């Protein structure tokens, strides 16, 4: 949702590079909504003599009237940035326009943008990323930009300006300095200059609601009287930051050993936390109050993977729900007072009437219980003869979650095969600790987990060494 409309990016045979288009929320609920094209990349590419690839839109919150459009020539990492007026449906004449570079931007206000990019010799890290952030006023050239923050050439990751706004009119701008792939510093761009936030290296700024900064803490951390396990979601008061008082963290969600946070979406009056609870998605709406945060579950289908799309300007949210046996469905709800309702569904691509999904667990070499999903026919013979494909990942805190696959369903499951997904350590199924358990010198346990699941499948006679394929 942008500026009270529903936007999406669409590609088909007539538009191979794609169109950015919109419709109204009422129209979107119809089976075949009428769409209005905002940007036609094929036409724009022809006019500019480029092959533009869509890289997203960064809109000025909370009104979202203007957006900074990111375009890549041929799909390279470097992008070109142009200002677009959503209401008029056209690029802003004389508006912000930044030439091609590896760059990141954030709106400071309607007439000022913070920009991290290559500013010339000696302004990129040894990894090729910008480490200097400057403020650029409307109408100024790049050479007139004023430096607001500087990292170091040895920084390993991107320098990223972050602009946060909420429905109450609060605004704050920060810079994320990525020291390594996993660790960052966060700096508030205050009227008196940059001030570092007292956050652990493995954390993230997620949004703002009613003057509360929403933060993820991805390592165990203690601040004052509050002890936060890795994977927690907490809040700070923006007023404390502005007044110079010590930040007092308040817990929003703290995971147990079999939970993790998949996503956090901040809307006008709620924080929507998508929780993986034993590798099953749950969405919980949190509301700030005088006595802390209160919660209410958003009831959506179980045994599924859930995605959330929403805006800080509204309490309306859209939820995509998918599972191994049901294609993606779209649900809508005003989370303050209404239950979700299904408004769209993709057609099924295979016959799932005789199929079932089970979630089981195996015991690894150190005694840890390792969950896995297996999809098979309801009448599968328990003699080890069923051909089974088994896969996993176990790296980079990536979770293997329920997903609908037309090819597996039609070509494998319908024909009597079974399909297993292993939730091994190294991934993100149970948060940062699950990931850390399979890193570096502990890598062997990831393979032990995977082998333990295969042996569990054999012990249940769902498959056998002769009929199991792994990748």
């Amino acid at each position: 949702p942008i500026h009270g409309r529903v936007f999406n990016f669409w590609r088909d045979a007539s538009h191979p590079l794609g169109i950015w288009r919109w419709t109204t929320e009422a129209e979107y609920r119809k089976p075949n909504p009428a769409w209005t094209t905002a940007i036609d990349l094929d036409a724009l590419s022809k006019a500019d003599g480029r092959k533009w690839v869509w890289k997203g839109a960064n809109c000025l919150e909370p009104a979202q009237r203007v957006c900074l459009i990111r375009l890549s020539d041929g799909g390279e990492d470097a992008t070109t940035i142009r200002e677009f007026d959503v209401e008029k449906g056209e690029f802003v004449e004389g508006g912000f326009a930044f030439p091609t570079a590896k760059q990141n931007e954030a709106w400071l206000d309607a007439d000022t943008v913070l920009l991290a990019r290559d500013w010339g010799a000696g302004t990129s890290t040894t990894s090729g990323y910008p480490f200097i952030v400057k403020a650029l006023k409307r109408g100024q050239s790049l050479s007139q930009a004023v430096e607001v923050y500087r990292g170091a050439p040895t920084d390993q990751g991107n320098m990223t300006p972050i602009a946060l706004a909420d429905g109450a009119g609060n605004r704050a701008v920060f810079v994320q300095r990525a020291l390594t792939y996993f660790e960052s510093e966060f700096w508030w761009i205050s009227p008196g200059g940059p001030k570092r936030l007292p956050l652990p290296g493995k954390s993230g700024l997620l949004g703002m609601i009613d003057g509360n900064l929403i933060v993820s803490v991805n390592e165990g951390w203690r601040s004052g009287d509050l002890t936060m396990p890795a994977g927690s979601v907490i809040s700070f008061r923006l007023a404390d930051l502005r007044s110079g008082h010590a930040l007092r963290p308040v817990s929003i969600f703290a995971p147990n050993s079999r939970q993790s946070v998949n996503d956090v979406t901040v809307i006008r009056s709620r924080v929507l936390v998508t929780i993986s609870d034993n590798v099953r998605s749950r969405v919980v709406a949190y509301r700030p109050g005088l006595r802390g945060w209160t919660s209410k579950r958003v009831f959506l289908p179980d045994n599924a993977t859930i995605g959330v799309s929403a805006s800080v300007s509204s309490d309306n949210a859209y939820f995509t729900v998918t599972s191994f046996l049901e294609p993606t469905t779209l649900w809508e709800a005003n989370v303050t007072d209404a239950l979700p309702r299904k408004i769209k569904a993709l057609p099924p691509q295979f016959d799932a009437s005789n199929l079932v999904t089970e979630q089981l667990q195996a015991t690894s070499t150190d005694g840890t219980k390792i969950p896995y999903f297996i999809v098979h026919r309801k009448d599968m013979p328990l003699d080890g003869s069923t051909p089974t494909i088994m896969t996993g990942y176990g790296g980079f805190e990536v979770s293997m979650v329920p997903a609908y696959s037309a090819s597996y369903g039609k070509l494998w499951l319908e024909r009597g095969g079974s399909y297993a997904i292993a939730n091994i350590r190294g991934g993100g199924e149970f948060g940062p600790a699950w990931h850390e358990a399979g890193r570096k010198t502990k890598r062997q346990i990831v393979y032990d987990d995977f082998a333990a699941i295969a042996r569990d499948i054999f012990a249940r006679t769902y498959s056998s060494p002769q009929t199991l394929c792994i990748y």
Side-chain angles (χ1 to χ4, degrees):
I2 296 175
H3 194 55
R5 304 168 177 176
V6 177
F7 277 76
N8 79 356
F9 189 75
W10 176 264
R11 287 161 58 179
D12 57 27
S14 301
H15 306 92
L17 293 177
I19 57 175
W20 193 43
R21 62 183 190 172
W22 65 271
T23 189
T24 65
E25 291 186 342
E27 185 71 17
Y28 186 56
R29 298 184 188 103
K30 298 179 180 179
N32 296 295
W35 292 91
T36 299
T37 297
I39 300 175
D40 183 333
L41 287 195
D42 294 272
L44 185 64
S45 297
K46 184 177 180 180
D48 292 346
R50 305 282 191 94
K51 187 176 182 180
W52 291 125
V53 174
W54 181 258
K55 290 292 184 177
N58 181 349
C59 302
L60 176 61
E61 302 287 3
Q64 302 174 319
R65 164 70 184 265
V66 290
C67 303
L68 295 174
I69 306 298
R70 300 169 62 91
L71 302 171
S72 166
D73 189 2
E76 64 179 349
D77 289 342
T79 57
T80 297
I81 299 175
R82 300 181 184 177
E83 186 179 6
F84 187 82
D85 189 315
V86 172
E87 188 69 34
K88 294 181 178 179
E90 60 186 32
F91 287 102
V92 177
E93 185 176 353
F96 288 112
F98 308 131
T100 301
K102 288 183 179 179
Q103 54 190 338
N104 298 302
E105 81 293 334
W107 290 96
L108 183 61
D109 56 47
D111 294 309
T112 315
V113 170
L114 294 187
L115 191 63
R117 59 171 285 138
D118 183 349
W119 300 98
T123 63
S124 293
T125 68
T126 53
S127 301
Y129 295 110
F131 67 88
I132 297 173
V133 179
K134 295 186 179 184
L136 193 70
K137 294 285 187 181
R138 187 174 296 278
Q140 288 183 329
S141 64
L142 290 177
S143 63
Q144 295 173 295
V146 177
E147 182 175 319
V148 297
Y149 183 78
R150 176 182 290 256
T154 54
D155 294 348
Q156 294 181 18
N158 250 323
M159 184 75 71
T160 307
I162 301 171
L164 301 181
D166 63 22
N170 298 295
R171 290 188 60 82
V173 179
F174 305 85
V175 169
Q176 179 179 1
R177 178 188 178 190
L179 302 176
T180 69
Y181 183 84
F182 294 105
E183 296 183 313
S184 297
E185 293 177 351
F186 290 90
W187 294 76
W188 173 44
I189 306 303
S190 76
K195 295 183 179 180
R196 185 178 173 184
L197 300 186
L199 297 175
K202 296 179 181 179
S203 56
L205 280 178
L206 306 175
M208 185 163 59
I209 175 174
D210 195 25
N212 294 283
L213 296 173
I214 311 303
V215 178
S216 63
V217 178
N218 299 318
E219 60 180 281
W221 186 49
R222 182 176 178 83
S223 178
D225 296 330
L226 184 64
T227 299
M228 292 146 279
S232 296
V233 181
I234 63 174
S235 67
F236 291 105
R237 290 294 298 169
L238 179 62
D240 289 340
L241 187 65
R242 288 174 171 167
S243 65
H245 293 158
L247 296 185
R248 295 165 292 179
V250 177
S251 177
I252 299 176
F253 171 76
N256 63 32
S257 62
R258 306 298 276 187
Q259 293 177 324
S260 65
V261 173
N262 285 347
D263 187 36
V264 177
T265 305
V266 180
I267 59 176
R268 183 167 58 192
S269 69
R270 302 289 192 276
V271 177
L272 302 179
V273 182
T274 307
I275 300 164
S276 174
D277 193 341
N278 202 32
V279 206
R280 299 177 178 184
S281 286
R282 306 278 190 272
V283 178
V284 181
Y286 290 88
R287 182 182 184 183
L290 295 177
R291 296 184 179 181
W293 293 82
T294 57
S295 65
K296 182 180 180 181
R297 183 176 169 186
V298 180
F299 286 95
L300 293 160
D302 201 3
N303 260 349
T305 301
I306 301 172
V308 181
S309 179
S311 166
V312 298
S313 61
S314 170
D315 282 321
N316 208 49
Y318 297 94
F319 306 91
T320 55
V321 180
T322 188
S323 67
F324 289 113
L325 300 181
E326 294 186 14
T328 299
T329 57
L330 184 68
W331 299 67
E332 180 188 18
N334 183 308
V335 298
T336 64
D337 58 9
L339 292 173
R341 58 171 179 162
K342 184 166 68 173
I343 60 173
K344 291 181 184 293
L346 291 177
Q349 300 297 310
F350 60 90
D351 181 7
S353 60
N354 195 37
L355 299 174
V356 65
T357 298
E358 289 189 84
Q359 187 184 33
L360 305 169
Q361 62 182 12
T363 303
S364 192
T365 51
D366 64 351
T368 300
K369 301 298 183 181
I370 312 299
Y372 67 96
F373 293 99
I374 186 165
V375 187
H376 58 80
R377 292 180 65 89
K378 295 176 182 177
D379 57 359
M380 176 183 68
L382 296 179
D383 59 5
S385 65
T386 299
T388 301
I389 295 175
M390 175 180 161
T391 190
Y393 192 67
F396 294 96
E397 212 168 334
V398 172
S399 301
M400 300 291 285
V401 296
Y404 191 81
S405 170
S407 55
Y408 274 117
K410 194 67 181 176
L411 303 179
W412 189 251
L413 296 173
E414 266 193 10
R415 300 184 180 195
S418 72
Y419 177 52
I421 292 284
N423 299 120
I424 52 184
R425 278 172 281 189
E429 284 84 351
F430 299 135
W434 196 253
H435 168 58
E436 291 292 336
R439 290 188 66 212
K440 298 182 178 180
T441 58
K442 297 171 283 188
R443 194 74 190 144
Q444 178 60 43
I445 201 68
V446 176
Y447 300 94
D448 292 349
D449 292 353
F450 195 83
I453 291 172
R455 286 192 290 268
D456 193 74
I457 290 173
F458 302 155
R460 298 175 189 273
T461 63
Y462 283 15
S463 189
S464 66
Q466 292 73 36
T467 57
L468 179 78
C469 167
I470 66 172
Y471 79 91

